Amino acid sequence: MLTQGKAGEIFERIKKFSTAERVEVLFSGGKFALTRFANNTIHQNVAEENYTISVRTAFDGRTARATTNKFDDESLRRVVTASESLAKVQHRDPDLLPMPDAGEAAASAAKKTRQIPSRYFAGTAAITPELRADGVEKIVGIARKHNLTTAGIFSSSESVEGIFNSHNLSDWYTQTAADISVTMLAADSSGWQKANSPDVANLNPSNLAEIAAKKALDSAHPRQIPAGKYTVILEPAAVLDVVGFMFWDFGGMAILDQRSFLTDRIGTKLFGENINIWDDVAHPLQSGAPFDGEGMRRQTLPLVENGAVKRVVYARSTAERIRRSECKDKVGPIEATGHGFPLPNEMGEMPLNIVFAPPQNPQTVEQMIASTERGVLVTRLWYIREVEPYEKILTGMTRDGTFFVEDGRIEGGIRNFRFNESLIHMLSNVEAMSTPVRSSGEESFDMVAPAMKVGEFNFTEVTKF
Amino acid sequence: MNHVANWALNVATLRGATYADARIVAQRSRALGTKNGKVSSASDSESIGMSVRVIAEGAWGFAASDNLSRAAVEATAAHAVEIAHASARVKQHDVRLAPEKAVTAEWTTPHKIDPFGISVERNIDLLLKIDSQLRAVKGITLAETNLNFNREEQWFISSEGAGIHQTKYSTGAGYAAYAFAGNELQKRSYPNSYGGQWQNKGYELIEELTLVDNARRIAEEAVALHQADQCPEGMFDIILDSSQLGLQIHESVGHPIELDRVLGMEANFAGTSFLAIDKLRRLRYGSDLVNVVADARQEHGPGLGTFAFDDEGVAAQCTPVITNGLFTGYLSSRETAHTIDAERSGGTLRAEGWNRLPMIRMTNISLLPGEKPLTLEQLIAATDHGILMQTNRSWSIDDRRYNFQFGCEMGWEIKNGKRVRMLKNPSYSGITTEFWNSLDAICSRDQWTLWGTPNCGKGQPQQVMGTGHGAAPSRFRNIKVGSAFKGN
């Protein structure tokens, strides 16, 4: 693995090669392996090791970036020259700030509320192809026991992220991760489960496989019920995949660009009283580096309180720009929060460590089912896209375990629905929530999210299976 | 680079691989963009590395490294074999590769102007000129532009004796104008949404796209959408412009015909397909007018799916996918060809880069143009009542590729052969085969464009690939319109 010490040496070489006023270097990469299975067979099994260096140079209001995965002197000279050549020919941008120094980053660090837990686990880093095959064997064994076919992944990784700049700022982060995703297929039904953790000891392939298998078996012979508005019970993976689409709008740049659904709405009660959302990189169930693309420490922030959007996140330059803008009095607190993407970029910033606050009276999915007269239980959503940006209408499909609920009981599988649903409407109609858990889907980034029971969810069409 | 690849193949063979191939890939890319009068992105990147794909004990292994030293390459090859042995513990049968003649070849994307030879100043000036045209229109609140250039050089060597050196260029450009007012955000893009037009070409593509000339019109349309009527809900005849039809082909023909999906290999992520193997040469996919090919050959055009050889050394081919409405062909690989009794792979295996495993990907999946001369305006003139939909805004389809829904940036109601009013937020939905069977008119070759989709995602770990889709404006009868905005 690339170490902080080695990266520091590379940064010193890059500084010598550069003529720029300021230099920033991002390091990223690591070891990644993934065992993929389908039809009860391991059919793809891959491993890689790769590290990249991304060099940003700046000259009097001009900046640009160049990236390489080669660390020899010739390659470093080339990447520095490429970055400087791109930067020099640009028009001066008066909004471009000097790179932060160590003091500014330390001040931002002082605002974080608690220590980031270690997310590096030797057991995860030591996973071999044999150990992944062991896990897959267990999953396939459960599939065979139930006369099902299984497909999925078991992956593991060991990664680094680092930043150095010529204002003496440096930071470094190392993490491990493991993912297991299982689909169980029957003749006319399927079930799915996914989990991930920095510590592979937290993952139980057999348990995931049994739950996915039960969903496939219980949803066999799906019947068709008409599209319409239903009470839905969304499992956590379905919740995170759909709500993930709105957090791109929780950044200052999106407000400045007037492409955010929060434009003119910050401070207003947009969702139900029971919706409270934080961005918290230090949460024990979260993951990811505690610093942003310029090396500023990520602050822990309340984004939504009792249904009202309280604030958005800011990169340094976005905070400066919005203080001078006409909307400065309509956006809540303005300060660099440590959520910026590496510069230069179009998007500015976004919160990536979403944590839903626990509800006052958490309910399990089973309790939600028991209290539902007529509704739909959704395991997973798929191919979600934005249909209308200001009301945040999203479309997508249910998948891999969709059930009809009647009189407090699951009454078998149903054919999958297409939804067209406003996120504002959805989060205003949450009737119950579970205790939030670390959740992982395929359409959005991982979150600490609850299962939700939502009224009047808008299914517009039924598909063929 | 062949000697580097041979280090890998030698070690793989010595460790027990019955088949091995190595790819060394050097990628270079440049991305430039502006937003509201400023440069918003300016970046160059390069990535070089190698991978080894092996079969041992009848199972696959794959390993990749950014280190091209002899020791690292040999260790990577040994790791690939180790992984294959682990794979062999969970298998139903041995991997079978369809025979393929080992070829030695060189090929480069035909291009007139090396895009990396054009100065950054000239490119930024072009983007800022477009930006100023867009923002000159009152009501435009956000203007974004982009230029992208890619070069990928690959050396492919196999234990069967293949040695193929290919260099591919691709170029992309586009822009979007946004107008926010009241509680509504409207958008128009040119020449297509989500990055514009992309082709395997040099800088000559940028000159062909007439980017500046169209900027003011696009911005005016974005503002005008605020005054337009909401697209009605109901059953209508619709005409799709060629870019929207290109995406329709991608989602409802291109993905379902991927044989790995059909065989369940993508069931956990991208999904499966309704096109079970018993439907080959039996299913009436579309009306008699529907002829779709999967064509990676140079003569099809400079699509993002154009190459000389795929990433397991199989020559580019043209596969008839739908012939006069009948389903006639899948996208296949050496591993999957035998499942459809094909003697040879269809040549569609591609990888995103040196560190990714090649998998079945769309090449250029194109709807062939109508044989009789027919322009878009003539098609509109021949339509009593319908809706013309232009430029994609949203897209979604289920995991077996039956039910889809698309939203477009702009619509026009057609009455008695004339465009009578602009419509905002148009959308349509349907079931794949019902939709293609409702096609009753395709415009002719002079209206046909080979569009590039640069962002097709598939696989675990996910890979992003460019695909090509040729289409001419076409009419579909009695389609469900407007349910996306029925909303709450």
Side-chain angles (χ1 to χ4, degrees):
Chain A
M1 285 286 286
L2 179 66
T3 63
Q4 186 171 12
K6 172 77 173 166
E9 289 170 21
I10 293 168
F11 176 64
E12 291 304 318
R13 283 156 61 201
I14 286 171
K15 272 203 301 188
K16 283 181 190 157
F17 297 144
S18 177
T19 61
E21 293 167 8
R22 302 178 188 95
V23 184
E24 170 199 276
V25 180
L26 303 179
F27 292 85
S28 64
K31 297 176 182 176
F32 174 82
L34 185 146
T35 299
R36 198 172 190 211
F37 52 99
N39 299 312
N40 296 347
T41 297
I42 294 178
H43 69 305
Q44 293 173 7
N45 206 346
V46 303
E48 68 165 298
E49 183 164 9
N50 187 30
Y51 302 92
T52 61
I53 301 171
S54 190
V55 178
R56 181 166 75 94
T57 54
F59 301 86
D60 185 29
R62 299 166 178 84
T63 195
R65 181 173 294 283
T67 303
T68 184
N69 68 339
K70 288 285 166 284
F71 296 4
D72 59 277
D73 280 355
E74 184 188 338
S75 298
L76 295 183
R77 278 198 185 91
R78 191 167 60 243
V79 74
V80 168
T81 302
S83 174
E84 292 183 353
S85 301
L86 278 170
K88 283 176 181 171
V89 298
Q90 292 182 36
H91 302 232
R92 187 175 179 282
D93 178 0
D95 294 323
L96 182 69
L97 299 177
M99 293 172 186
D101 59 23
E104 186 178 349
S108 74
K111 293 179 180 173
K112 68 188 172 67
T113 53
R114 57 181 186 271
Q115 192 69 30
I116 303 291
S118 171
R119 291 165 181 153
Y120 185 92
F121 291 85
T124 307
I127 294 176
T128 62
E130 286 289 321
L131 289 170
R132 290 195 303 277
D134 287 346
V136 174
E137 269 187 331
K138 289 176 187 165
I139 294 166
V140 168
I142 289 164
R144 288 196 173 121
K145 180 179 79 178
H146 294 293
N147 290 319
L148 299 170
T149 301
T150 188
I153 61 156
F154 186 167
S155 72
S156 56
S157 66
E158 183 183 8
S159 61
V160 297
E161 283 182 62
I163 184 167
F164 293 78
N165 77 21
S166 53
H167 286 197
N168 298 318
L169 180 152
S170 71
D171 215 335
W172 194 256
Y173 177 73
T174 309
Q175 151 157 12
T176 52
D179 280 73
I180 296 177
S181 179
V182 182
T183 302
M184 289 284 181
L185 298 139
D188 59 5
S189 63
S190 55
W192 174 84
Q193 284 293 281
K194 184 179 181 184
N196 75 9
S197 174
D199 184 359
V200 71
N202 291 333
L203 302 185
N204 184 335
S206 297
N207 187 43
L208 294 168
E210 286 288 5
I211 297 171
K214 181 168 170 40
K215 283 179 175 288
L217 296 168
D218 289 352
S219 61
H221 316 305
R223 62 192 165 114
Q224 181 169 333
I225 65 170
K229 294 187 178 179
Y230 288 88
T231 295
V232 293
I233 299 160
L234 302 172
E235 294 195 1
V239 169
L240 89 89
D241 271 343
V242 73
V243 301
F245 277 74
M246 75 177 177
F247 293 109
W248 289 93
D249 290 13
F250 274 72
M253 185 75 83
I255 302 291
L256 281 172
D257 290 344
Q258 297 183 87
R259 60 180 159 79
S260 169
F261 80 106
L262 302 178
T263 303
D264 299 331
R265 283 170 166 165
I266 294 173
T268 62
K269 195 162 171 12
L270 208 51
F271 310 131
E273 183 80 17
N274 53 356
I275 301 298
N276 291 278
I277 304 172
W278 289 69
D279 186 79
D280 183 5
V281 72
H283 191 281
L285 297 179
Q286 267 292 352
S287 64
F291 50 87
D292 75 357
E294 287 188 278
M296 299 291 285
R297 283 268 161 169
R298 295 185 189 279
Q299 294 181 30
T300 295
L301 300 171
L303 302 174
V304 179
E305 284 183 359
N306 301 327
V309 177
K310 288 293 181 189
R311 62 181 302 161
V312 295
V313 300
Y314 294 97
R316 295 165 68 240
S317 61
T318 313
E320 289 298 315
R321 282 184 61 195
I322 213 155
R323 278 193 193 103
R324 304 194 304 267
S325 73
E326 291 176 1
C327 60
K328 65 179 184 298
D329 298 323
K330 299 192 290 184
V331 293
I334 303 171
E335 62 177 328
T337 58
H339 292 82
F341 294 120
L343 295 172
N345 70 76
E346 297 93 345
M347 302 305 287
E349 59 281 293
M350 76 178 287
L352 286 164
N353 297 98
I354 297 300
V355 176
F356 277 74
Q360 285 188 341
N361 299 301
Q363 291 189 27
T364 63
V365 167
E366 289 70 26
Q367 288 171 319
M368 293 181 203
I369 292 168
S371 64
T372 300
E373 195 173 314
R374 189 168 185 272
V376 175
L377 170 64
V378 175
T379 299
R380 180 186 186 188
L381 297 173
W382 166 247
Y383 223 130
I384 303 168
R385 290 293 181 275
E386 184 176 272
V387 170
E388 201 284 328
Y390 201 65
E391 292 307 312
K392 222 62 191 170
I393 299 173
L394 304 178
T395 191
M397 300 294 303
T398 65
R399 177 179 175 180
D400 295 329
T402 308
F403 300 89
F404 186 55
V405 177
E406 196 167 36
D407 297 330
R409 290 176 18 180
I410 289 177
E411 291 292 338
I414 52 175
R415 287 190 177 182
N416 287 294
F417 282 120
R418 169 169 299 289
F419 64 89
N420 280 278
E421 172 71 21
S422 158
L423 265 179
I424 298 171
H425 177 269
M426 174 183 144
L427 292 177
S428 300
N429 286 277
V430 176
E431 298 171 5
M433 279 185 279
S434 69
T435 299
V437 295
R438 179 178 175 81
S439 312
S440 185
E442 301 291 359
E443 302 273 318
S444 187
F445 50 93
D446 298 340
M447 288 177 202
V448 181
M452 286 183 179
K453 180 175 170 180
V454 179
E456 297 279 297
F457 194 86
N458 190 30
F459 291 122
T460 53
E461 291 178 5
V462 190
T463 190
K464 297 281 189 185
F465 60 95
Chain B
M1 289 289 185
N2 290 0
H3 67 288
V4 176
N6 279 322
W7 294 336
L9 298 189
N10 290 339
V11 166
T13 306
L14 282 170
R15 298 279 181 130
T18 53
Y19 170 85
D21 59 39
R23 290 184 306 115
I24 299 163
V25 183
Q27 295 169 304
R28 183 182 178 195
S29 64
R30 172 167 293 165
L32 300 170
T34 64
K35 190 168 84 173
N36 280 355
K38 287 183 183 177
V39 173
S40 56
S41 64
S43 65
D44 271 7
S45 85
E46 63 172 30
S47 182
I48 306 165
M50 60 84 61
S51 58
V52 191
R53 187 179 72 141
V54 303
I55 299 173
E57 288 187 67
W60 285 115
F62 175 92
S65 174
D66 56 2
N67 190 334
L68 297 184
S69 69
R70 180 165 189 161
V73 167
E74 290 181 345
T76 301
H79 191 39
V81 177
E82 179 196 4
I83 289 171
H85 287 306
S87 302
R89 285 178 45 200
V90 188
K91 68 173 182 181
Q92 306 271 15
H93 49 73
D94 287 356
V95 173
R96 260 166 71 189
L97 296 185
E100 186 67 30
K101 186 181 172 188
V103 172
T104 302
E106 292 260 351
W107 186 80
T108 299
T109 300
H111 63 284
K112 292 177 184 165
I113 306 167
D114 181 350
F116 293 97
I118 303 298
S119 74
V120 174
E121 295 99 310
R122 178 174 157 186
N123 285 320
I124 289 176
D125 285 348
L126 170 65
L127 296 182
L128 289 174
K129 192 178 289 183
I130 296 165
D131 175 274
S132 69
Q133 292 280 312
L134 295 173
R135 289 189 301 123
V137 175
K138 190 179 175 189
I140 293 300
T141 50
L142 176 62
E144 292 181 322
T145 72
N146 67 278
L147 277 176
N148 300 79
F149 311 122
N150 298 300
R151 180 185 190 274
E152 180 183 290
E153 185 172 13
Q154 174 171 290
W155 293 262
F156 171 85
I157 311 287
S158 80
S159 58
E160 294 173 340
I164 297 166
H165 179 208
Q166 287 190 105
T167 305
K168 290 184 264 188
Y169 285 85
S170 65
T171 295
Y175 53 83
Y178 297 77
F180 177 76
N183 58 359
E184 206 172 293
L185 180 62
Q186 291 293 343
K187 173 194 175 194
R188 285 290 287 134
S189 309
Y190 181 86
N192 199 355
S193 48
Y194 304 104
Q197 169 65 315
W198 291 62
Q199 289 189 325
N200 279 10
K201 267 188 177 176
Y203 199 78
E204 61 272 18
L205 175 68
I206 304 304
E207 296 171 349
E208 293 164 10
L209 290 177
T210 58
L211 294 164
V212 176
D213 294 350
N214 284 281
R216 183 171 282 267
R217 171 182 65 81
I218 287 295
E220 288 169 350
E221 287 174 354
V223 174
L225 281 166
H226 281 278
Q227 307 306 318
D229 294 330
Q230 172 67 34
C231 180
E233 188 187 1
M235 304 301 287
F236 291 90
D237 295 346
I238 64 169
I239 297 172
L240 300 181
D241 76 355
S242 67
S243 67
Q244 171 56 33
L245 189 51
L247 190 60
Q248 177 79 50
I249 295 165
H250 178 100
E251 301 292 357
S252 68
V253 180
H255 279 304
I257 63 172
E258 294 163 342
L259 194 46
D260 53 352
R261 292 180 68 113
V262 173
L263 296 172
M265 295 176 178
E266 296 292 323
N268 179 247
F269 176 58
T272 58
S273 170
F274 69 92
L275 283 175
I277 286 171
D278 62 0
K279 291 188 166 54
L280 185 62
R281 287 182 282 277
R282 290 191 181 93
L283 175 73
R284 179 131 302 269
Y285 208 118
S287 69
D288 290 348
L289 296 176
V290 178
N291 287 282
V292 174
V293 295
D295 197 344
R297 301 171 308 162
Q298 200 170 306
E299 50 262 49
H300 189 70
L304 292 182
T306 300
F307 48 79
F309 295 90
D310 76 356
D311 290 345
E312 59 176 352
V314 179
Q317 297 166 45
C318 177
T319 300
V321 171
I322 303 173
T323 306
N324 299 327
L326 185 69
F327 171 51
T328 52
Y330 290 105
L331 301 172
S332 64
S333 62
R334 292 186 67 185
E335 182 184 7
T336 57
H338 73 90
T339 64
I340 51 170
D341 297 325
E343 293 178 357
R344 187 187 179 206
S345 161
T348 69
L349 218 64
R350 289 194 289 159
E352 181 182 338
W354 59 265
N355 55 348
R356 290 289 176 267
L357 180 72
M359 56 196 307
I360 291 176
R361 301 309 301 247
M362 290 177 229
T363 54
N364 301 306
I365 314 300
S366 297
L367 175 68
L368 299 183
E371 292 178 359
K372 295 176 186 167
L374 182 67
T375 66
L376 173 60
E377 294 310 314
Q378 288 168 332
L379 181 56
I380 290 169
T383 301
D384 291 337
H385 189 204
I387 296 172
L388 167 66
M389 298 196 195
Q390 296 175 286
T391 317
N392 182 261
R393 185 166 155 187
S394 69
W395 67 103
S396 175
I397 189 165
D398 71 44
D399 60 286
R400 292 189 202 173
R401 303 276 153 177
Y402 284 112
N403 177 285
F404 61 79
Q405 177 181 295
F406 292 94
C408 290
E409 290 183 352
M410 185 168 74
W412 288 91
E413 185 173 17
I414 299 163
K415 272 191 177 168
N416 300 319
K418 291 190 168 52
R419 299 181 203 216
V420 293
R421 58 172 177 153
M422 181 187 277
L423 300 172
K424 67 183 176 187
N425 307 325
S427 68
Y428 66 99
S429 54
I431 296 293
T432 292
T433 48
E434 293 169 12
F435 181 78
W436 286 105
N437 275 283
S438 75
L439 185 150
D440 81 336
I442 308 175
C443 290
S444 46
R445 171 70 66 176
D446 57 322
Q447 308 284 298
W448 191 86
T449 302
L450 183 49
W451 293 99
T453 300
N455 55 352
C456 177
K458 184 181 174 185
Q460 296 164 300
Q462 191 169 8
Q463 301 186 41
V464 175
M465 184 60 67
T467 63
H469 306 289
S474 300
R475 185 175 61 197
F476 300 81
R477 295 289 195 186
N478 202 31
I479 302 299
K480 188 177 180 187
V481 166
S483 60
F485 283 82
K486 196 174 176 184
N488 284 290

